[in-house]
Every structure is written in C-alpha cells, then in structure tokens.
Amino acid sequence: MSTNVTWHANINYDERVSLRNQKGCTVWLTGLSASGKSTIACTLEKLLLLEGISAYRLDGDNIRFGLNKDLGFTEEDRNENIRRIAEVAKLFADSCTVAIAAFISPYKADREKARELHKDAGLDFIEVFIDVPIEVAENRDPKELYKKARAGIIKDFTGISAPYEAPENPDIHLRTDKETVEQCADHILQFLKKLEILQ
Ligand code: PPS
C-alpha cells in the first residue's frame, strides 16, 4: 500500500490530442487460447502503423516475460494480471496511442473494471470478442497447450479446467473460424474510423 503520495497534474488528454493530432484508445481482445487474439493484434498493429497511427501491442505471453513474470494462472493471479495490463493500456491510450491488448482475460468483472478505468479517464475502450468454438481452438493447438491440459500436465487451463466468461455485449464480435485475419482486423479498423481515431 502506497502512502504519502501526491498526484502530479500534467498536460491533459485533450491538450495532448490537439498537439499530436491523434486520439488514443484501448482495443481489448479477449478470447480462448488459440482463438486468434495475437494474430489479429499483430495485423491490426501493423495496419495502424502503416496509416501513420501510433499503436502498440500488449500481449499475454510477452507481458508474462517481464512486468507480470511473478503471476501464474490462478483466478487471483489472472485478476492481478488484467488489473496491471488495464493500467498500462490506459497510460498508452492517454498518450494518444492505440493500445492493443490481447489477453484471454477470462473474467467479466476484470474486463468491466478495465472499461471503467478507461471511462473514468475519458478514454475509449473497445472490447473485441475473439470468438471460436473450443473444438476449433483445441484442434489448432499451435503450442500444444490443450494437449497438455487434457493430459493434466497444465492445470487451470482456460476452457478445459478453468472458466472463460464470454462477453455478452462486446463492442465487436469476431468469429475467427468464419472470417480471415484480414477481415477481422478490418472490422476493428472500421470501428476505429467511427470513433475518429482513424480518418
Ligand atoms: S489471462 O487469463 O488473461 O491472465 O492469460 P494471459 O495473460 O492472456 O496469458 C495467456 C497465455 O498463457 C499461456 N498459458 C495459459 N493460458 C491459459 N491457461 C493456462 N493455464 C495457461 N498456461 C500458460 C498461453 O500461451 C496463453 O497464450 P494464448 O495466446 O492465449 O494461447
């Protein structure tokens, strides 16, 4: 618990938007392992950068090499994982960058807290459900994690031995077994255009 700390006022978000001529936001991709979150996040990041938009991808596996290397996959650790990522994404969004967060983020309450955090700061938060039937994800199994989870080698594996609470009302709902990665990324781009983050 931090005590005796004081918030320092800074250039505010609106001033930064007008100086940089770009709005920030957080695009939050949630879905099962092997649903396609990282692939879509990479494609989207590249498309935005090619358009001259500042964008940065925060990704489950990668963040667990550094910032969140102390966290595992219990419910409590996943809550803390998402809490920290939401704070980091908010900072990126506040800096007029499009933060692309790709995390399983299996608990609705955690995703709602992330949305509230952004809302309180006046920042757009776009929840994107990367939806795929679990059989398809398990069939893809690029890292052979489902195989290990079925064999009991990996405990608390999302969709097998740990819950995934699907969004009921996401801003964008994508089916990666029905559309290509490019089509999925384009749906997100069109949404960003509506928010005037992209012209
Ligand atoms: S979470 O639930 O949001 O905290 O998870 P996240 O930070 O996105 O990390 C997911 C990646 O961790 C690997 N992995 C596991 N996933 C789910 N359950 C268990 N038990 C687990 N153990 C390791 C896996 O590579 C996940 O990456 P993706 O890209 O989703 O497959």
Side-chain angles (χ1 to χ4, degrees), residues 31-34 37-38 59-61 64 72-73 77-78 81-82 102-106 143 145 154-158:
L32 294 170
S33 177
K37 301 180 298 295
S38 300
D59 195 282
D61 273 326
R64 285 171 176 277
F73 291 91
D77 278 5
R78 289 184 203 240
N81 183 39
I82 299 310
F103 295 85
I104 296 178
S105 40
K143 297 179 257 181
L145 297 176
I154 301 179
K155 310 274 178 233
D156 301 327
F157 193 75
T158 309

Short mmCIF file of all heavy atoms in Angstrom, two decimals, residues 31-34 37-38 59-61 64 72-73 77-78 81-82 102-106 143 145 154-158, ligand 1:
data_model
loop_
_atom_site.label_atom_id
_atom_site.label_comp_id
_atom_site.label_asym_id
_atom_site.label_seq_id
_atom_site.Cartn_x
_atom_site.Cartn_y
_atom_site.Cartn_z
N GLY A 31 -10.43 -13.72 -25.54
CA GLY A 31 -10.83 -14.98 -26.17
C GLY A 31 -9.97 -16.12 -25.67
O GLY A 31 -8.93 -15.90 -25.01
N LEU A 32 -10.38 -17.32 -26.02
CA LEU A 32 -9.66 -18.53 -25.61
C LEU A 32 -8.24 -18.57 -26.16
O LEU A 32 -7.94 -17.89 -27.15
CB LEU A 32 -10.39 -19.77 -26.15
CG LEU A 32 -11.79 -20.08 -25.61
CD1 LEU A 32 -12.43 -21.18 -26.45
CD2 LEU A 32 -11.70 -20.49 -24.14
N SER A 33 -7.40 -19.38 -25.57
CA SER A 33 -6.08 -19.66 -26.15
C SER A 33 -6.31 -20.22 -27.55
O SER A 33 -7.22 -21.04 -27.76
CB SER A 33 -5.36 -20.68 -25.26
OG SER A 33 -4.13 -21.02 -25.82
N ALA A 34 -5.51 -19.78 -28.49
CA ALA A 34 -5.60 -20.22 -29.91
C ALA A 34 -6.86 -19.72 -30.61
O ALA A 34 -7.24 -20.25 -31.66
CB ALA A 34 -5.49 -21.74 -30.04
N LYS A 37 -6.28 -14.19 -31.06
CA LYS A 37 -6.05 -12.84 -30.50
C LYS A 37 -4.74 -12.22 -30.96
O LYS A 37 -4.72 -11.10 -31.47
CB LYS A 37 -6.01 -12.88 -28.95
CG LYS A 37 -7.23 -13.40 -28.28
CD LYS A 37 -7.08 -13.38 -26.76
CE LYS A 37 -5.98 -14.23 -26.20
NZ LYS A 37 -6.10 -15.68 -26.38
N SER A 38 -3.65 -12.95 -30.76
CA SER A 38 -2.32 -12.38 -31.07
C SER A 38 -2.16 -12.11 -32.56
O SER A 38 -1.60 -11.08 -32.95
CB SER A 38 -1.21 -13.33 -30.61
OG SER A 38 -1.32 -13.53 -29.23
N ASP A 59 0.68 -8.11 -25.17
CA ASP A 59 0.24 -9.48 -25.44
C ASP A 59 0.50 -10.42 -24.26
O ASP A 59 1.55 -10.34 -23.64
CB ASP A 59 0.99 -9.98 -26.69
CG ASP A 59 0.35 -11.22 -27.26
OD1 ASP A 59 0.59 -12.30 -26.69
OD2 ASP A 59 -0.39 -11.12 -28.25
N GLY A 60 -0.47 -11.29 -24.01
CA GLY A 60 -0.44 -12.20 -22.86
C GLY A 60 0.90 -12.86 -22.60
O GLY A 60 1.53 -12.63 -21.56
N ASP A 61 1.37 -13.67 -23.55
CA ASP A 61 2.62 -14.38 -23.34
C ASP A 61 3.77 -13.41 -23.09
O ASP A 61 4.55 -13.59 -22.15
CB ASP A 61 2.95 -15.25 -24.57
CG ASP A 61 2.30 -16.64 -24.50
OD1 ASP A 61 2.17 -17.17 -23.39
OD2 ASP A 61 1.92 -17.17 -25.55
N ARG A 64 4.02 -11.63 -19.71
CA ARG A 64 4.38 -12.55 -18.64
C ARG A 64 5.88 -12.88 -18.61
O ARG A 64 6.35 -13.59 -17.73
CB ARG A 64 3.53 -13.83 -18.74
CG ARG A 64 2.11 -13.61 -18.28
CD ARG A 64 1.23 -14.81 -18.57
NE ARG A 64 -0.12 -14.66 -18.05
CZ ARG A 64 -0.49 -14.93 -16.82
NH1 ARG A 64 0.42 -15.38 -15.95
NH2 ARG A 64 -1.73 -14.77 -16.44
N GLY A 72 0.92 -16.34 -12.02
CA GLY A 72 0.57 -17.61 -12.66
C GLY A 72 -0.84 -17.54 -13.22
O GLY A 72 -1.28 -16.49 -13.70
N PHE A 73 -1.57 -18.65 -13.11
CA PHE A 73 -2.88 -18.72 -13.76
C PHE A 73 -4.02 -19.06 -12.79
O PHE A 73 -5.07 -19.53 -13.21
CB PHE A 73 -2.82 -19.71 -14.93
CG PHE A 73 -1.97 -19.19 -16.05
CD1 PHE A 73 -0.61 -19.46 -16.11
CD2 PHE A 73 -2.52 -18.37 -17.03
CE1 PHE A 73 0.17 -18.95 -17.14
CE2 PHE A 73 -1.74 -17.86 -18.06
CZ PHE A 73 -0.40 -18.14 -18.11
N ASP A 77 -4.32 -14.55 -9.58
CA ASP A 77 -3.21 -14.04 -10.41
C ASP A 77 -3.73 -13.47 -11.73
O ASP A 77 -3.22 -12.48 -12.24
CB ASP A 77 -2.19 -15.15 -10.68
CG ASP A 77 -1.22 -15.33 -9.51
OD1 ASP A 77 -1.42 -14.66 -8.47
OD2 ASP A 77 -0.29 -16.14 -9.62
N ARG A 78 -4.75 -14.11 -12.30
CA ARG A 78 -5.30 -13.58 -13.55
C ARG A 78 -5.96 -12.23 -13.29
O ARG A 78 -5.86 -11.31 -14.11
CB ARG A 78 -6.32 -14.56 -14.14
CG ARG A 78 -5.67 -15.83 -14.70
CD ARG A 78 -6.73 -16.69 -15.34
NE ARG A 78 -6.40 -18.08 -15.42
CZ ARG A 78 -6.30 -18.77 -16.56
NH1 ARG A 78 -6.47 -18.19 -17.71
NH2 ARG A 78 -6.03 -20.06 -16.54
N ASN A 81 -3.15 -9.83 -13.10
CA ASN A 81 -2.59 -9.70 -14.45
C ASN A 81 -3.40 -8.65 -15.24
O ASN A 81 -2.86 -7.67 -15.77
CB ASN A 81 -2.67 -11.06 -15.15
CG ASN A 81 -2.05 -11.09 -16.52
OD1 ASN A 81 -1.02 -10.48 -16.77
ND2 ASN A 81 -2.68 -11.81 -17.45
N ILE A 82 -4.71 -8.82 -15.25
CA ILE A 82 -5.57 -7.93 -16.03
C ILE A 82 -5.62 -6.53 -15.41
O ILE A 82 -5.65 -5.53 -16.13
CB ILE A 82 -6.99 -8.55 -16.19
CG1 ILE A 82 -6.89 -9.89 -16.93
CG2 ILE A 82 -7.94 -7.59 -16.91
CD1 ILE A 82 -6.09 -9.87 -18.23
N ALA A 102 -4.10 -7.95 -25.99
CA ALA A 102 -4.57 -9.28 -26.38
C ALA A 102 -4.34 -10.25 -25.22
O ALA A 102 -3.22 -10.77 -25.06
CB ALA A 102 -3.85 -9.74 -27.65
N PHE A 103 -5.37 -10.46 -24.44
CA PHE A 103 -5.27 -11.32 -23.25
C PHE A 103 -6.51 -12.20 -23.18
O PHE A 103 -7.61 -11.74 -23.52
CB PHE A 103 -5.18 -10.46 -21.97
CG PHE A 103 -3.90 -9.66 -21.95
CD1 PHE A 103 -3.84 -8.43 -22.59
CD2 PHE A 103 -2.76 -10.16 -21.37
CE1 PHE A 103 -2.65 -7.72 -22.65
CE2 PHE A 103 -1.57 -9.45 -21.42
CZ PHE A 103 -1.52 -8.23 -22.06
N ILE A 104 -6.34 -13.40 -22.68
CA ILE A 104 -7.52 -14.27 -22.52
C ILE A 104 -8.55 -13.51 -21.70
O ILE A 104 -9.72 -13.50 -22.01
CB ILE A 104 -7.14 -15.61 -21.84
CG1 ILE A 104 -6.19 -16.41 -22.72
CG2 ILE A 104 -8.42 -16.41 -21.56
CD1 ILE A 104 -5.73 -17.72 -22.11
N SER A 105 -8.09 -12.86 -20.65
CA SER A 105 -8.97 -12.08 -19.75
C SER A 105 -10.31 -12.77 -19.56
O SER A 105 -11.34 -12.27 -20.02
CB SER A 105 -9.12 -10.63 -20.24
OG SER A 105 -9.27 -10.52 -21.64
N PRO A 106 -10.28 -13.92 -18.87
CA PRO A 106 -11.47 -14.78 -18.84
C PRO A 106 -12.62 -14.29 -17.96
O PRO A 106 -13.75 -14.78 -18.11
CB PRO A 106 -10.93 -16.10 -18.28
CG PRO A 106 -9.76 -15.70 -17.44
CD PRO A 106 -9.15 -14.52 -18.13
N LYS A 143 0.49 -24.37 -29.76
CA LYS A 143 1.54 -24.54 -28.73
C LYS A 143 1.38 -25.85 -27.97
O LYS A 143 2.05 -26.07 -26.96
CB LYS A 143 1.50 -23.33 -27.77
CG LYS A 143 1.81 -21.99 -28.45
CD LYS A 143 1.74 -20.82 -27.47
CE LYS A 143 0.46 -20.05 -27.65
NZ LYS A 143 0.32 -18.89 -26.76
N LEU A 145 -0.87 -26.71 -26.01
CA LEU A 145 -1.26 -26.47 -24.62
C LEU A 145 -2.53 -27.24 -24.27
O LEU A 145 -2.66 -27.74 -23.15
CB LEU A 145 -1.47 -24.96 -24.39
CG LEU A 145 -0.22 -24.08 -24.58
CD1 LEU A 145 -0.58 -22.62 -24.43
CD2 LEU A 145 0.86 -24.47 -23.59
N ILE A 154 -0.83 -29.41 -17.66
CA ILE A 154 -1.10 -28.00 -17.34
C ILE A 154 -2.40 -27.94 -16.55
O ILE A 154 -3.43 -28.46 -17.01
CB ILE A 154 -1.23 -27.12 -18.60
CG1 ILE A 154 0.04 -27.18 -19.43
CG2 ILE A 154 -1.55 -25.67 -18.22
CD1 ILE A 154 -0.03 -26.36 -20.71
N LYS A 155 -2.33 -27.35 -15.36
CA LYS A 155 -3.54 -27.20 -14.52
C LYS A 155 -4.21 -25.87 -14.86
O LYS A 155 -3.59 -24.98 -15.44
CB LYS A 155 -3.15 -27.17 -13.03
CG LYS A 155 -2.24 -28.30 -12.62
CD LYS A 155 -3.05 -29.54 -12.24
CE LYS A 155 -2.14 -30.70 -11.87
NZ LYS A 155 -2.40 -31.94 -12.61
N ASP A 156 -5.44 -25.72 -14.44
CA ASP A 156 -6.19 -24.45 -14.59
C ASP A 156 -6.09 -23.90 -16.01
O ASP A 156 -5.78 -22.72 -16.20
CB ASP A 156 -5.64 -23.37 -13.62
CG ASP A 156 -5.73 -23.80 -12.17
OD1 ASP A 156 -6.69 -24.51 -11.83
OD2 ASP A 156 -4.84 -23.42 -11.39
N PHE A 157 -6.32 -24.73 -17.00
CA PHE A 157 -6.22 -24.25 -18.37
C PHE A 157 -7.59 -23.76 -18.85
O PHE A 157 -8.59 -24.48 -18.79
CB PHE A 157 -5.69 -25.35 -19.31
CG PHE A 157 -5.29 -24.79 -20.65
CD1 PHE A 157 -4.12 -24.07 -20.78
CD2 PHE A 157 -6.12 -24.94 -21.75
CE1 PHE A 157 -3.75 -23.51 -22.01
CE2 PHE A 157 -5.77 -24.38 -22.98
CZ PHE A 157 -4.58 -23.67 -23.10
N THR A 158 -7.59 -22.53 -19.35
CA THR A 158 -8.85 -21.89 -19.76
C THR A 158 -9.64 -22.74 -20.76
O THR A 158 -9.09 -23.17 -21.77
CB THR A 158 -8.55 -20.52 -20.40
OG1 THR A 158 -7.72 -19.79 -19.51
CG2 THR A 158 -9.84 -19.74 -20.66
S1 PPS B 1 -5.09 -14.38 -18.62
O1 PPS B 1 -6.06 -15.46 -18.39
O2 PPS B 1 -5.69 -13.25 -19.34
O3 PPS B 1 -4.46 -13.96 -17.37
O4 PPS B 1 -3.98 -15.03 -19.57
P1 PPS B 1 -2.91 -14.28 -20.49
O5 PPS B 1 -2.09 -13.33 -19.69
O6 PPS B 1 -3.57 -13.78 -21.71
O7 PPS B 1 -1.91 -15.46 -20.88
C1 PPS B 1 -2.36 -16.49 -21.74
C2 PPS B 1 -1.17 -17.24 -22.35
O8 PPS B 1 -0.51 -18.00 -21.36
C3 PPS B 1 -0.24 -19.33 -21.83
N1 PPS B 1 -0.78 -20.23 -20.80
C4 PPS B 1 -2.07 -20.39 -20.42
N2 PPS B 1 -3.25 -19.92 -20.89
C5 PPS B 1 -4.39 -20.29 -20.23
N3 PPS B 1 -4.43 -21.10 -19.16
C6 PPS B 1 -3.27 -21.61 -18.67
N4 PPS B 1 -3.29 -22.40 -17.60
C7 PPS B 1 -2.03 -21.26 -19.30
N5 PPS B 1 -0.73 -21.57 -19.06
C8 PPS B 1 0.01 -20.94 -19.98
C9 PPS B 1 -0.80 -19.45 -23.21
O9 PPS B 1 0.30 -19.40 -24.11
C10 PPS B 1 -1.68 -18.22 -23.38
O10 PPS B 1 -1.50 -17.57 -24.63
P2 PPS B 1 -2.60 -17.62 -25.81
O11 PPS B 1 -2.04 -16.67 -26.83
O12 PPS B 1 -3.92 -17.17 -25.25
O13 PPS B 1 -2.60 -19.04 -26.28
#
